[in-house]
Amino acid sequence: MIRDSRRDPTRRLKDILWVLTFVGIIAMIFRFAYGLGATTDLSDGVPWGLWKILNMVAGAALATSGFTIGFLGHVLHIKQFQKLVKPAIVVAFLGYGSSLFALLFDIGLPWRFWHPFVYWNIHSFLFEVFWCVSFYFLVTFLELSPTLLERLGLGKLHGYMHRAASVFVIIGITLSSLHHTSLGSLFLVSPQRLHALWYSPLISVMFIVSAMGGGMMLLLVIKVLYSWWYEPDKLFHVTSSGAVVECKACANPDDNGHGKTLEAPDLPMIRTLATVAAGILGFYLLMKVADLILRPEAMATLVAGNWESWLFGVEMVIGVIVPIIMVCIPSVRRSTVALASAGAMAAFGLMLNRVNTGIFGYFRDAGVIYVPTAIEWAITLGVLSMAGLAFFFLVENFSVFNENWRKKGSESLNITSAFDHLTYVWHYRMLTGLERVTLIAVIVLPLSWIFLNPSYHNPVFNEVQPPLAVDVERDTLQLDGNRAGVSTMFAHAAHQERLGGSESCGVCHHLSLPGDQATPCAECHRYMESPADIFDHDAHKAYVADSRGLGGIHPENMSCAECHQEHEAETALSASNCFECHQEDMSPTDAVAIQGHLGMQYAAGYHTAMHGVCIQCHDSDEQKLAYDNPELGECATCHYAVQPADLADDGVLLTQTQE
């Protein structure tokens, strides 16, 4: 049998994080290869999903301990919190770093991530949020640099950075405060869409207050977990009856040299941290109650008994009320485990609030339910796992919590070997991280590729391929949008002649791009099943500004009034009919002109569009009678693969040529 006296207490957790990381890497590859449509369940009704809300909005909120603890430790000079400044900075660095990293997968054109630094839109909340988050991430790196430089032996540079730490902290407090309020302000632009329980004129203030309380509670949990894993002798506490309660890491405190220690040395600091956080959560609770009282429509929805009111109740009870009550109970305040439980509930409540505000709160107005895909979950958990692995690396190799990392490697290795079952090979023989990670990668990577590959499970999302010419003149085209083999031989020239020559193009090509007379179907109907957005809003704003000669710092923003009605929300419903300006250059038919701008926003899936145009004509009694073919509207008329063997050639003469 094999024994190891230095077994890592976090090894199994790290194995899980590595598994999720490798799964996330495969999902990230598919996201870039196939795009948002094939890898997410996002829609225009619910455009923000897990990546934006959980990774960015909630992730940044949970990482606020960096500026709150920095303020308490460096600005107010509270000694109890000075020991937590480094861990808080690490949490902020990883939280904001993972949020920015996840943002690359959420934006439609990730290779343009640098545009906000160059193309300024000072009227956008997101512009300010992006700048503050980016610069605060840089500030957290500068705050963390003294710890990194000390480990690398750059003492002189470490001294300079250490003396400038207070300046970095003050800058970080400013940036973090700005962007948290702006994150809340993002939701002020949708008062009609966001559910009344989560919309509030005070949402910007509520965002920063709740983030301060929940972020401090998360740091409390992290501190207790670190002590549990790396300092098990500091987890003793005393009950109300005076009895010593042992921690899970020690069998008998007296036999392990701990003497009669009655409480953890860090318990006073943890207790104070919990008290301050509970006080902030209490202020947040008062703001919530006052806001509901002042807004009767919100109070009415709270007592309506629908699923939103229950979800709001879970958020407030578990995330705010219960943690506050627990911190006020004396027996809880004497237990690090109980305080950590209160902190975990508060952190969960903060995360749930952000998810409710950014996702669930829009379901009723959107009329659709958003269910994240497996790839969305894989990327979300993968980013969080990467941050977790980075956290373990930093605390085990740098002076973050204490100097215990210096002892690593100095302990002797006591191993005895013998033949035993396979579990001991994994738990005791594979001691190095490289061996374990390599084995995990070999197993996880190919399985993830199989189970997450969109082309295996969601072929309907494939982009449509242009038709293939059967002859040089392109008189006959082979239509096979997704190259799945169920093709159609389309006699294009014969159809054009039969329907009236070149003047008949509008029968099928019902809408053309500006300046074009017969835009190919695949130009707009770009996906086999899912609709495609065919209106480039940004390009249109720039075009209108240029054609109208609009001026100003951002002339494209002045173009909104050219299309949208005044004093109304700038949505598709308030926009002018597109054909008021494009009646000549887009050559629409009367049917499309009647649909107006609503018919311009999205193009149906290729499969739906082709069947909608072809079958409508083929299935009419007039056409069946004209060509004496009652089966003209059947699938076999167009699709050669499903034709009966004895079908006469004349039966498919309208649309198909035989191979």
Side-chain angles (χ1 to χ4, degrees):
M1 189 170 59
I2 303 170
R3 300 296 187 200
D4 175 19
S5 62
R6 293 190 315 164
R7 183 178 178 185
D8 183 0
T10 64
R11 191 165 64 180
R12 290 187 179 181
L13 177 58
K14 292 174 184 175
D15 291 342
I16 296 174
L17 294 178
W18 276 113
V19 170
L20 296 175
T21 295
F22 286 126
V23 174
I25 290 173
I26 295 299
M28 293 169 190
I29 294 174
F30 290 146
R31 154 62 186 95
F32 287 134
Y34 290 91
L36 289 173
T39 55
T40 72
D41 193 36
L42 300 175
S43 64
D44 290 304
V46 186
W48 284 10
L50 279 182
W51 302 337
K52 181 80 75 179
I53 300 301
L54 199 59
N55 285 113
M56 169 56 77
V57 181
L62 291 170
T64 51
S65 59
F67 86 88
T68 54
I69 300 300
F71 175 76
L72 295 173
H74 280 293
V75 179
L76 298 184
H77 300 289
I78 301 177
K79 292 184 179 181
Q80 277 188 310
F81 294 125
Q82 289 178 355
K83 292 176 60 177
L84 290 175
V85 170
K86 287 184 180 180
I89 292 173
V90 169
V91 172
F93 173 75
L94 296 176
Y96 281 82
S98 60
S99 296
L100 287 173
F101 181 62
L103 190 62
L104 290 174
F105 306 98
D106 185 72
I107 56 180
L109 303 176
W111 52 89
R112 295 186 179 180
F113 71 93
W114 53 272
H115 275 212
F117 291 115
V118 180
Y119 303 105
W120 289 20
N121 184 0
I122 60 175
H123 303 289
S124 171
F125 284 121
L126 275 176
F127 172 76
E128 189 269 347
V129 169
F130 179 82
W131 268 73
C132 285
V133 171
S134 301
F135 277 99
Y136 184 59
F137 173 67
L138 175 61
V139 168
T140 58
F141 175 75
L142 294 176
E143 290 180 290
L144 188 62
S145 60
T147 302
L148 304 179
L149 294 172
E150 179 187 16
R151 176 69 169 85
L152 298 175
L154 301 175
K156 189 173 182 179
L157 186 56
H158 160 261
Y160 291 140
M161 299 300 293
H162 182 73
R163 285 191 289 272
S166 297
V167 177
F168 296 143
V169 168
I170 294 174
I171 296 175
I173 293 171
T174 304
L175 292 172
S176 191
S177 301
L178 285 172
H179 98 262
H180 274 294
T181 53
S182 295
L183 276 176
S185 300
L186 285 174
F187 301 97
L188 289 174
V189 301
S190 55
Q192 289 83 17
R193 295 199 59 203
L194 182 57
H195 196 275
L197 285 175
W198 292 286
Y199 176 83
S200 171
L202 299 175
I203 191 171
S204 58
V205 181
M206 291 182 180
F207 256 52
I208 188 171
V209 173
S210 60
M212 290 170 62
M216 293 175 70
M217 283 294 199
L218 178 65
L219 181 63
L220 185 154
V221 175
I222 293 174
K223 169 59 181 172
V224 173
L225 288 176
Y226 178 85
S227 298
W228 193 347
W229 288 325
Y230 299 101
E231 302 171 335
D233 58 308
K234 294 186 177 182
L235 284 177
F236 296 110
H237 56 275
V238 62
T239 65
S240 57
S241 62
V244 176
V245 178
E246 62 183 16
C247 68
K248 296 182 179 180
C250 301
N252 190 324
D254 292 331
D255 292 342
N256 283 275
H258 302 302
K260 299 294 183 179
T261 302
L262 295 182
E263 66 177 24
D266 292 331
L267 182 57
M269 176 183 64
I270 295 174
R271 184 188 298 126
T272 305
L273 179 64
T275 302
V276 174
I280 296 175
L281 291 177
F283 179 67
Y284 170 70
L285 178 61
L286 291 177
M287 292 180 62
K288 275 287 189 181
V289 173
D291 179 67
L292 291 174
I293 294 175
L294 294 176
R295 293 190 301 119
E297 70 279 7
M299 182 62 73
T301 58
L302 179 62
V303 298
N306 51 33
W307 66 267
E308 288 98 343
S309 61
W310 282 102
L311 192 59
F312 179 83
V314 170
E315 168 197 323
M316 295 304 298
V317 171
I318 295 181
V320 181
I321 298 175
V322 172
I324 293 174
I325 294 175
M326 289 182 65
V327 174
C328 294
I329 299 175
S331 59
V332 173
R333 293 168 58 82
R334 290 192 292 267
S335 170
T336 54
V337 176
L339 289 175
S341 300
M345 286 190 288
F348 172 77
L350 175 62
M351 179 182 66
L352 182 59
N353 170 260
R354 300 307 192 255
V355 173
N356 289 340
T357 304
I359 299 178
F360 294 134
Y362 288 93
F363 281 1
R364 187 171 296 275
D365 176 81
V368 296
I369 301 297
Y370 161 74
V371 180
T373 63
I375 289 182
E376 289 183 82
W377 280 112
I379 292 180
T380 297
L381 297 177
V383 171
L384 295 176
S385 298
M386 292 176 188
L389 291 171
F391 173 81
F392 281 119
F393 174 78
L394 290 174
V395 300
E396 291 178 357
N397 294 276
F398 297 90
S399 301
V400 176
F401 283 94
N402 49 42
E403 304 295 327
N404 286 350
W405 63 270
R406 300 182 187 276
K407 301 177 183 179
K408 189 171 68 170
S410 62
E411 300 175 355
S412 61
L413 195 63
N414 181 18
I415 299 178
T416 58
S417 302
F419 292 102
D420 216 317
H421 51 82
L422 185 61
T423 56
Y424 284 103
V425 175
W426 177 254
H427 292 310
Y428 300 104
R429 186 60 181 174
M430 301 190 70
L431 300 177
T432 67
L434 181 60
E435 292 174 341
R436 301 171 70 86
V437 171
T438 301
L439 181 58
I440 291 172
V442 169
I443 297 174
V444 172
L445 289 178
L447 291 177
S448 300
W449 188 276
I450 294 173
F451 288 108
L452 293 180
N453 197 321
S455 63
Y456 296 162
H457 309 289
N458 300 305
V460 296
F461 285 109
N462 287 349
E463 291 191 9
V464 171
Q465 304 297 319
L468 301 173
V470 177
D471 50 69
V472 177
E473 293 81 9
R474 296 182 65 86
D475 290 340
T476 302
L477 304 176
Q478 182 181 3
L479 306 182
D480 188 6
N482 60 354
R483 300 296 192 261
V486 186
S487 62
T488 297
M489 293 296 181
F490 177 61
H492 182 268
H495 270 75
Q496 186 182 53
E497 180 180 356
R498 189 179 299 113
L499 295 176
S502 60
E503 299 298 325
S504 66
C505 294
V507 175
C508 298
H509 298 274
H510 54 85
L511 182 65
S512 298
L513 296 176
D516 196 0
Q517 295 298 316
T519 300
C521 303
E523 188 72 24
C524 296
H525 306 282
R526 297 193 299 269
Y527 306 110
M528 283 301 298
E529 298 293 344
S530 59
D533 189 349
I534 61 173
F535 182 66
D536 191 333
H537 190 262
D538 291 335
H540 190 266
K541 289 200 304 180
Y543 170 78
V544 172
D546 182 65
S547 61
R548 299 290 195 274
L550 302 178
I553 300 177
H554 300 284
E556 65 276 5
N557 292 334
M558 305 299 295
S559 66
C560 300
E562 299 290 329
C563 299
H564 294 279
Q565 301 176 16
E566 295 184 3
H567 310 299
E568 291 190 21
E570 294 176 353
T571 63
L573 296 176
S574 67
S576 302
N577 191 307
C578 296
F579 299 109
E580 293 180 7
C581 299
H582 296 284
Q583 187 170 7
E584 299 297 330
D585 60 0
M586 295 192 72
S587 304
T589 64
D590 292 339
V592 175
I594 293 174
Q595 294 177 14
H597 58 272
L598 294 180
M600 290 284 296
Q601 183 71 34
Y602 299 101
Y606 188 78
H607 181 271
T608 302
M610 293 298 100
H611 283 185
V613 173
C614 300
I615 294 178
Q616 182 178 4
C617 181
H618 283 214
D619 207 31
S620 66
D621 294 335
E622 179 184 354
Q623 295 294 325
K624 291 179 180 179
L625 182 63
Y627 296 100
D628 192 24
N629 185 358
E631 298 181 346
L632 190 63
E634 300 296 326
C635 299
T637 302
C638 298
H639 294 290
Y640 181 75
V642 295
Q643 290 180 8
D646 57 349
L647 185 64
D649 291 345
D650 293 343
V652 293
L653 188 60
L654 286 175
T655 60
Q656 188 167 305
T657 58
Q658 298 298 316
E659 298 182 22

